[in-house]
Amino acid sequence: MTQERFIAADWGTTNRRLYLIEKGEVVWTERDDLGVAARPDFEGEIGALRARFGAMPILLAGMVGSSIGWRETPYVPAPADLKALAAQCFNVGEGVHIVPGVALVGAGRADVMRGEEVQILGAAAAGLVPADALLIQPGTHSKWAEIRNGVLTRFTTAMTGELFGLLRQHSILASALTHRVDANEAFDRGVREGLLRDLSASLFGIRAAILTGGLDPKDASSFASGLLIGAEVAARLGDYEDGAAYILADAQFGALYAAALAIAGREAHIIDSHAAFLSGIIRIESLLP
Amino acid sequence: MTQERFIAADWGTTNRRLYLIEKGEVVWTERDDLGVAARPDFEGEIGALRARFGAMPILLAGMVGSSIGWRETPYVPAPADLKALAAQCFNVGEGVHIVPGVALVGAGRADVMRGEEVQILGAAAAGLVPADALLIQPGTHSKWAEIRNGVLTRFTTAMTGELFGLLRQHSILASALTHRVDANEAFDRGVREGLLRDLSASLFGIRAAILTGGLDPKDASSFASGLLIGAEVAARLGDYEDGAAYILADAQFGALYAAALAIAGREAHIIDSHAAFLSGIIRIESLLP
């Protein structure tokens, strides 16, 4: 049912973002690093929100519903819409619900998401993207999702961001990947190399190019990021042959993926991921049984 | 000049293998973990060998000649043969020489090797492989090398082994990748997925398949290894269109790469990498100025 006021949380692995929503508008929001990986005291955190804002419904989405979260909430199978998510929210009690993730099973491959489904279906419901569209959510585990008539039909996750982090922190390339990533000429060159989908060799090529003077070390981070994103884009665009791509991302990630898509010859638009999340979570709240 | 007795070392990043060679035969060999990454006292180690075996020439190959080794020995440019390696050995003094690595520069890409060139050219010189052949050296940084008329003409490095290590030690897949890798049915399935060259998504697919019951966790390591090796094989075979591949590897790595090449439809033979190294290092020693 539609409440006058409720609290929503996009509660991920590393961070959480809280929203106080009144009559469909955000009146307060806050982001902190109390993601589920920080093993927060979930009951205590809910109590603190209640103490601060008073008694009201609370709706949580993201990894909070995973096996490493608070209460494991079974996945809804794709194709999935907002109604299915609302119908299968986990009722923790005392007005707290957790939105389920979405699982894709069959057709020879499996995939899962938790949290992204709220943005994806919210973006479609709000008209931020067409009812038939390809959406991209860059990140540690990038999602490429197809909606048909506003329904989430299929999706693929690429662990591009995680691979970049591993390379930066722990690999032989770590000492070369210390600079900031920019959507510059080195990034573009990385994308073009990445489109060849020869990741394992192209990555070693960064070391070889630095050793032989073919790559300025200050360009290595941007080149490597372009390489990984280019390989991701090349592998995924074959799955989605037509139409523009809609990138749900902050400005920096959005610019990188938009640049990579342009090089791959695909039109792209950057969409406000916060607006998409709010659209989704407000609709799910209104559809709760 | 050909010496009655000399000491050879294949001195890599992690390990070194020492050989005492008399009249072209190995009379003693030993492997330890005093690779250059362990920052050994190089002068002290040479002194210890002299104290143990007496005064004789010493010929070192591998990362010992790199910027993280003992004396940085400039790369010989490809195409390279044993004569070029011998001519450009670094003379440390007191009968100690370091074999140079080989660099490939130009044609839009760069690559480097240190140590593998001795095996590759040694294998060809000993007739372990044809004079025109594709050689593969699996490992942390796998090498794919082409020899033409016994000369090392071009090569590509894939950081497949390093990626597997990063995933096993530091990634979200770490807890799933604890079992031993075997050339079993799960490995074969991984290879077939890897041939699609969709690495970033296929890797996340391991997590999704475990979460949704499509992959037995005990098969995850073999599947992941197959995936990485399959992607490496698919990317490289396009560079080398004809003929069998010759794998310079120990039995376990050899079996994995042979299985992956068979699935990719390429004939493969496993070659003894120690015999190849000895053939190369003995010939280089005999060619020293």
Side-chain angles (χ1 to χ4, degrees), chain A residues 63 66-68 72 75 103-105 108-112 141 143 156-163 166-167 170-173 193 196-205 207-209 211-212 228 231-232 235-236 239, chain B residues 63 66-68 72 75 103-105 108-112 141 143 156-163 166-167 170-173 193 196-205 207-209 211-212 228 231-232 235-236 239:
Chain A
M63 289 296 282
S66 73
S67 59
I68 59 163
E72 192 165 355
Y75 295 107
L104 185 77
V105 184
R109 55 175 295 279
D111 216 321
V112 292
H141 299 152
K143 304 290 180 188
T156 303
T157 306
M159 54 188 282
T160 306
E162 179 167 354
L163 284 175
L166 293 172
L167 292 165
H170 302 292
S171 82
I172 195 172
L173 298 175
E193 170 88 16
L196 304 175
R197 297 169 67 172
D198 191 6
L199 209 50
S200 185
S202 295
L203 286 169
F204 188 84
R207 179 168 159 77
L211 284 173
T212 57
L228 288 165
E232 177 188 342
R236 291 280 70 70
D239 298 344
Chain B
M63 291 296 282
S66 74
S67 59
I68 60 163
E72 191 166 355
Y75 295 107
L104 185 77
V105 184
R109 55 176 295 278
D111 215 322
V112 290
H141 298 152
K143 305 290 179 189
T156 303
T157 306
M159 52 188 281
T160 305
E162 180 167 354
L163 283 175
L166 293 172
L167 293 164
H170 302 292
S171 81
I172 195 172
L173 299 176
E193 171 88 17
L196 304 173
R197 297 169 66 171
D198 190 6
L199 208 51
S200 185
S202 294
L203 285 170
F204 188 84
R207 178 169 159 79
L211 285 172
T212 57
L228 288 165
E232 177 188 342
R236 291 281 69 72
D239 298 345

Side-chain angles (χ1 to χ4, degrees), chain A residues 47-70:
Chain A
L49 287 169
R50 288 262 157 76
R52 185 163 175 186
F53 295 109
M56 71 183 77
I58 296 179
L59 187 53
L60 311 175
M63 289 296 282
V64 66
S66 73
S67 59
I68 59 163
W70 186 17

Side-chain angles (χ1 to χ4, degrees), chain B residues 13 79 116:
Chain B
T13 303
E116 295 91 349

Side-chain angles (χ1 to χ4, degrees), chain A residues 31 34 39 61 65 78 104 109 114-115 124 143 162 182 240 253 255 259 269 276 283 288:
Chain A
R31 181 174 179 275
L34 271 182
R39 314 296 315 146
L104 185 77
R109 55 175 295 279
R114 280 201 190 272
K143 304 290 180 188
E162 179 167 354
D182 287 307
Y240 306 99
F253 257 137
H269 306 279
R283 283 174 173 80
L288 278 181

